[in-house]
Amino acid sequence: MTKRLFAALALGAAIASAAMLPQPTAAQTYKPEYKVSTVLGAPFPWGVSAQRWADLVRERSQGRINMKVYPGAQLVGGDQTKEFTAMRQGVIDMAVGSTINWSPQVPQLNLFALPFLMPDHAAIDAITGGDAGRQLFDIIGSKDVVPLAWGENGFRELSNSKRDVRTPADLKGLKIRVVGSPLFNETFTALGANPTQMSWADAQPALSTGAVDGQENPLAVYVAAKLNTVGQKHLTLWGYVADPLIFAVSKPVWDTFSAEDQKLLRETALEAGTYSKHLARTGITETDPATLKAIEALGVTVIRLTPAEQKAFQDATRTVYDKWKARIGAPLVDAAEKAVAARK
């Protein structure tokens, strides 16, 4: 064997051996930017926590994975109910989405909109952290979307420009802006109100002009949007439904990441989700009433329902609850009810 042939064979063996070794993730195979859809941006807790996720990923990937938050559902032309479908198709890379907005495509997510299912934050955690939460993530995962973590927008409280609301009768005839969900429409109809479905982008001008009388949203949204300046001077704390958020990635996009980077995305989503819960729950409890006191200082009347007053609303919406329990799936709702009953 000549020296030249021996050298060639040795070189070929070295190349083959190198090809068999694990190769590092090639940063250039990743997109320059991953688009993250949200409905609300900063200073709303929703947008702040989405940005926290993006910042954590950029920092821990040392700039290899760059995520940019696009608020206002602008990636789907402002129609927040189309966000989930766009993510399934890979049009949107990632999202921090509301269970309400995704419920048209994932009917089981209507679980969180069942009136008065969750009496407190511990109930939300019991559902999302238990069997019902795992079932929902499995369902979402079967639809080409990879759910990574739960977050929170908060309990949705009621405000209006006309009068204090303490009983279902007080809602009679009030035009209330609601999200584009049949369940929300039926709930407010059962209470005697006149629900009007519109996007959040259209809601604030409608409140300002008096086209609608009121709205329902978490207190963090009420404060950040300065709803007291558009006539929303009557605020009722009734905690009728909560609005969990889901940090998720389009399955076609998820599959392009290495296992190591998938782990990074999941871990940072969990951190950002915990942060969103902290933001949504700060200042609104009996032991930490700072946000509520600030709202009252703006000249807003804050109504705190007694248990008996809240039960009147619950009784008035019971037929809606029972109807939608069957639609969502009784076993799933039973699992959620069991978790709530067993919460600490």
Side-chain angles (χ1 to χ4, degrees), residues 102-118:
W102 292 4
S103 64
Q105 290 79 41
V106 189
Q108 293 87 348
L109 290 177
N110 281 298
L111 171 72
F112 298 103
L114 286 173
F116 303 101
L117 167 64
M118 297 163 287

Side-chain angles (χ1 to χ4, degrees):
M1 184 181 292
T2 65
K3 290 183 178 180
R4 181 177 298 178
L5 177 59
F6 180 82
L9 290 173
L11 177 61
I15 293 172
S17 297
M20 295 174 66
L21 294 174
Q23 297 299 304
T25 300
Q28 64 268 23
T29 64
Y30 286 1
K31 294 183 179 182
E33 173 189 291
Y34 290 92
K35 294 179 171 60
V36 183
S37 177
T38 68
V39 172
L40 299 178
F44 298 93
W46 191 339
V48 171
S49 60
Q51 188 59 53
R52 171 67 68 92
W53 186 26
D55 291 343
L56 287 172
V57 170
R58 183 177 297 108
E59 174 188 343
R60 294 183 191 174
S61 70
Q62 298 179 327
R64 290 184 300 102
I65 305 174
N66 293 291
M67 298 158 57
K68 182 176 179 180
V69 177
Y70 287 82
Q74 60 184 285
L75 298 177
V76 284
D79 187 346
Q80 54 216 58
T81 63
K82 292 181 179 178
E83 184 178 72
F84 188 82
T85 297
M87 192 162 39
R88 291 184 70 182
Q89 297 169 344
V91 175
I92 291 175
D93 299 315
M94 307 170 180
V96 179
S98 165
T99 56
I100 298 169
N101 295 331
W102 292 4
S103 64
Q105 290 79 41
V106 189
Q108 293 87 348
L109 290 177
N110 281 298
L111 171 72
F112 298 103
L114 286 173
F116 303 101
L117 167 64
M118 297 163 287
D120 50 36
H121 291 117
I124 303 174
D125 293 340
I127 293 174
T128 57
D131 182 54
R134 288 188 290 272
Q135 288 185 49
L136 288 169
F137 268 24
D138 287 344
I139 293 167
I140 293 169
S142 71
K143 298 179 182 291
D144 293 325
V145 171
V146 180
L148 303 180
W150 291 100
E152 190 173 318
N153 197 26
F155 275 103
R156 300 179 74 89
E157 312 294 7
L158 176 70
S159 71
N160 80 93
S161 61
K162 298 295 186 183
R163 53 182 175 265
D164 292 349
V165 173
R166 287 187 176 276
T167 69
D170 295 329
L171 268 171
K172 186 176 182 180
L174 288 182
K175 293 177 288 185
I176 305 295
R177 176 266 172 182
V178 296
V179 296
S181 163
L183 177 48
F184 279 71
N185 191 69
E186 291 183 27
T187 296
F188 277 88
T189 298
L191 292 170
N194 179 14
T196 303
Q197 296 182 355
M198 62 178 66
S199 70
W200 180 244
D202 295 330
Q204 288 175 278
L207 290 167
S208 181
T209 62
V212 293
D213 302 314
Q215 60 86 52
E216 46 78 56
N217 254 308
L219 291 178
V221 174
Y222 181 97
V223 172
K226 300 180 180 179
L227 294 184
N228 62 293
T229 65
V230 289
Q232 300 297 289
K233 296 290 189 177
H234 306 272
L235 178 63
T236 299
L237 306 181
W238 63 341
Y240 83 118
V241 300
D243 190 4
L245 302 175
I246 299 174
F247 291 69
V249 180
S250 167
K251 181 65 161 57
V253 174
W254 178 257
D255 289 341
T256 67
F257 290 110
S258 68
E260 186 175 313
D261 284 334
Q262 288 177 351
K263 180 182 178 183
L264 184 153
L265 286 163
R266 190 182 302 277
E267 290 177 346
T268 51
L270 287 167
E271 288 185 40
T274 298
Y275 184 58
S276 74
K277 294 176 186 179
H278 167 73
L279 293 175
R281 299 176 184 185
T282 297
I284 61 173
T285 64
E286 290 184 5
T287 57
D288 178 20
T291 299
L292 290 172
K293 287 185 177 181
I295 292 173
E296 288 177 314
L298 298 172
V300 177
T301 302
V302 178
I303 306 297
R304 297 167 175 81
L305 297 183
T306 66
E309 288 172 333
Q310 189 180 55
K311 188 175 186 302
F313 285 97
Q314 187 174 6
D315 291 344
T317 56
R318 189 67 210 188
T319 56
V320 176
Y321 185 107
D322 292 340
K323 173 184 174 180
W324 279 84
K325 178 175 180 176
R327 287 189 176 183
I328 293 165
L332 176 61
V333 179
D334 286 341
E337 291 172 344
K338 182 179 179 180
V340 172
R343 75 191 186 283
K344 295 180 180 180

